């Protein structure tokens, strides 16, 4: 079973990573930052439509701060969604600002409403952490998903990823009339492999969503990470394999029931081949990212030493023992998909 015993330490975005983010359009000047949102004067608990406490709080700002905060958030949303085209701002309203009180990073969730059609969208404002930035960038480059996020000094802004939270999906699973368990199990194997190859940890059911897409004959599933704080931080191999988290046992049991060891191996090979293809397509950008990551301090010495020994045994490769940083371990892990 995968266990994380200590709270992760945040790491500041260093100058080299900042230059990378500027080059690829991730770093922009924002009208407000995370610290500005902390100036709220009151809050109330937020309940869902069934009356359950969501553990989020809706926050309210002093009268003299409201315009500054709301206008700033609308401009940030325009930067995130329309590449800075502020013509859309006149159609937008900030409907609600919520604060997550139980998470380590205490993110703010912004609900934006389009006055023209009452459609709404969300985005998040969080404290910047280089681990999270590396995680989102690797997700963008190496997974089938694209990440929309922006940074500015000590702030990171992220899109809302649509889907059913894994823990909620497991609770509702008995009530679903039609579930293709084989396709669901296949996607979990591929998700497990993606996380392990790029060393994204802590992917228990609260940290990923399940996106369900109906097709004309079948239903397709995709599992997407929504929390990237534990990108290559822990020293245990099991932390980077979602199959070892007890919260994910419903998916593990489905896999054991509907899949053979041969089919599991086939899907693992397929996913590694897809990652290898993306590595080749994004070769220059990946080289720049990994060159920065390899020199960055994003984990303790103890975690780095522990993980490189475990992966050396797992892959039967001394290449990992030569790694001096966690970034170098990630690089060595990615190289494995090009070797095999």
């Amino acid at each position: 079973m995968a266990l994380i015993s200590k709270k992760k330490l945040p790491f500041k975005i260093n100058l080299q990573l900042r230059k990378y983010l500027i080059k690829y359009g991730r770093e922009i000047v924002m009208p407000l930052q995370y610290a500005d949102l902390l100036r709220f004067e009151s809050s109330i608990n937020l309940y869902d439509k069934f009356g359950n406490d969501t553990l989020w709080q809706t926050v309210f700002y002093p009268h003299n701060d409201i315009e500054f905060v709301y206008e700033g958030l609308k401009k940030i949303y325009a930067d995130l969604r329309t590449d800075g085209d502020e013509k859309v701002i006149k159609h937008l309203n900030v409907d609600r600002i919520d604060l997550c009180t139980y998470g380590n990073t205490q993110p703010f969730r912004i609900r934006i409403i389009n006055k023209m059609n009452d459609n709404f969208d969300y985005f998040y404002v969080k404290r910047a952490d280089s681990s999270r930035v590396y995680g989102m960038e690797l997700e963008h480059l190496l997974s089938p998903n694209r990440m929309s996020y922006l940074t500015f000094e000590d702030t990171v802004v992220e899109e809302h990823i649509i889907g059913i939270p894994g823990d909620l999906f497991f609770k509702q699973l008995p009530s679903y009339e039609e579930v293709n368990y084989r396709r669901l199990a296949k996607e979990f194997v591929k998700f497990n492999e993606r996380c392990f190859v790029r060393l994204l940890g802590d992917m228990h059911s609260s940290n990923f969503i399940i996106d369900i897409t109906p097709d004309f004959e079948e239903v397709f599933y995709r599992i997407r990470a929504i929390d990237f704080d534990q990108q290559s931080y822990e020293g245990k191999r099991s932390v980077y394999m979602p199959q070892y988290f007890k919260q994910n046992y419903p998916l593990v049991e489905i896999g054991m029931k509907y899949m053979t060891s041969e089919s599991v191996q086939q899907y693992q090979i397929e996913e590694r081949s897809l990652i290898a293809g993306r590595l080749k397509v994004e070769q220059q950008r990946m080289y720049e990212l990994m060159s920065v990551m390899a020199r960055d301090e994003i984990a303790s010495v103890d975690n780095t030493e522990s993980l490189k020994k475990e992966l050396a045994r797992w892959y039967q490769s001394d290449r990992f023992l030569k790694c001096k940083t966690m970034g170098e371990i990630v690089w060595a892990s990615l190289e494995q998909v090009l070797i095999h």
Side-chain angles (χ1 to χ4, degrees):
M1 184 169 61
L3 293 174
I4 297 176
S5 58
K6 296 181 180 180
K7 181 179 178 180
K8 177 191 170 293
L9 298 173
F11 297 95
K12 287 186 173 295
I13 296 175
N14 66 19
L15 179 60
Q16 289 71 33
L17 179 55
R18 189 81 66 186
K19 289 179 178 178
Y20 171 91
L21 295 170
I22 292 172
K23 179 177 179 178
Y24 288 101
R26 297 294 197 183
E27 175 87 3
I28 66 167
V29 177
M30 297 183 190
L32 57 79
Q33 297 192 58
Y34 177 90
D36 294 313
L37 296 182
L38 293 173
R39 299 202 304 261
F40 58 90
E41 64 177 359
S42 61
S43 64
I44 59 173
N45 292 340
L46 179 65
Y47 297 90
D48 64 19
K49 61 183 179 181
F50 302 108
N52 301 313
D53 191 345
T54 64
L55 303 181
W56 287 74
Q57 292 184 345
T58 299
V59 299
F60 304 94
Y61 292 86
H63 181 72
N64 59 336
D65 263 354
I66 289 179
E67 184 176 358
F68 166 74
V69 170
Y70 283 19
E71 289 302 311
L73 290 172
K74 288 193 288 185
K75 290 178 181 178
I76 289 173
Y77 182 79
D79 288 326
L80 187 67
R81 289 300 195 192
T82 63
D83 197 26
D85 186 351
E86 295 187 1
K87 292 195 295 290
V88 302
I89 290 178
K90 62 182 179 181
H91 302 305
L92 302 178
N93 271 340
V94 176
D95 181 57
R96 203 175 67 223
I97 302 176
D98 304 322
L99 172 65
C100 178
T101 56
Y102 63 88
N104 291 338
T105 57
Q106 294 196 317
F108 286 92
R109 181 179 62 200
I110 319 301
R111 177 178 159 114
I112 291 281
I113 287 187
N114 189 318
K115 294 181 291 186
M116 303 292 290
N117 51 27
D118 289 334
N119 281 334
F120 61 88
D121 194 7
Y122 297 95
F123 69 97
Y124 298 84
V125 180
K126 305 178 181 181
R127 293 186 181 95
D129 175 16
S130 62
S131 299
R132 169 173 285 274
V133 171
Y134 286 124
M136 289 190 292
E137 194 66 11
L138 288 170
E139 177 78 2
H140 182 77
L141 297 175
L142 299 180
S143 82
N145 312 306
R146 290 294 168 263
M147 293 297 301
S148 180
Y149 72 93
L150 297 169
T151 62
F152 177 53
E153 297 183 358
D154 295 329
T155 299
V156 61
V157 173
E158 302 173 22
E159 68 173 339
H160 174 66
I161 298 174
I162 297 174
I164 303 173
D167 51 355
L168 179 60
F169 179 83
F170 297 155
K171 290 178 183 178
Q172 295 177 343
L173 193 57
S175 65
Y176 289 131
E177 294 183 0
E178 294 184 13
V179 177
N180 189 321
Y181 289 103
R182 286 183 174 82
R183 286 190 178 274
L184 186 58
K186 172 184 176 180
E187 174 57 21
F188 184 64
V189 170
K190 294 168 79 68
F191 176 68
N192 191 79
E193 203 65 17
R194 286 198 297 273
C195 293
F196 182 49
V197 167
R198 43 75 66 92
L199 298 179
L200 176 61
D202 200 25
M203 281 299 108
H204 57 76
S205 58
S206 296
N207 286 340
F208 61 77
I209 59 95
I210 298 179
D211 183 12
I212 304 174
T213 305
D215 197 13
F216 69 99
E217 282 188 344
E218 195 49 83
V219 175
F220 291 86
Y221 304 90
R222 176 169 293 175
I223 300 177
R224 292 191 61 178
I226 56 174
D227 192 327
F228 300 91
D229 288 342
Q230 288 280 350
Q231 171 61 50
S232 52
Y233 175 78
E234 293 288 337
K236 297 179 180 178
R237 174 180 59 85
S238 59
V239 170
Y240 302 104
M241 305 178 80
Q243 70 188 72
Y244 288 118
F245 284 91
K246 64 179 181 180
Q247 297 94 327
N248 300 339
Y249 281 179
L251 282 177
V252 174
E253 292 173 349
I254 289 171
M256 294 174 65
K257 182 176 180 179
Y258 290 94
M259 302 181 73
T260 65
S261 57
E262 290 80 7
S263 59
V264 169
Q265 186 177 27
Q266 174 192 338
Y267 297 140
Q268 289 173 327
I269 293 172
E270 284 183 9
E271 192 59 31
R272 283 177 171 262
S273 297
L274 290 171
I275 294 173
R278 296 181 189 115
L279 275 169
K280 293 172 183 176
V281 170
E282 298 287 357
Q283 186 175 14
Q284 179 58 38
R285 184 164 172 175
M286 278 300 305
Y287 177 79
E288 294 178 37
L289 178 65
M290 298 313 301
S291 295
V292 172
M293 192 177 186
R295 297 194 299 269
D296 204 349
E297 181 184 351
I298 53 175
S300 68
V301 173
D302 289 344
N303 284 356
T304 301
E305 290 297 312
S306 174
L307 183 60
K308 74 180 188 181
K309 291 174 183 176
E310 285 203 28
L311 292 181
R313 288 193 296 268
W314 177 264
Y315 286 110
Q316 298 182 343
S317 170
D318 292 340
R319 165 74 175 87
F320 291 93
L321 300 178
K322 300 175 184 178
C323 297
K324 295 182 175 61
T325 66
M326 191 63 83
E328 289 184 359
I329 295 176
V330 175
W331 203 338
S333 179
L334 293 175
E335 287 178 342
Q336 293 298 311
V337 303
L338 299 174
I339 294 172
H340 299 287

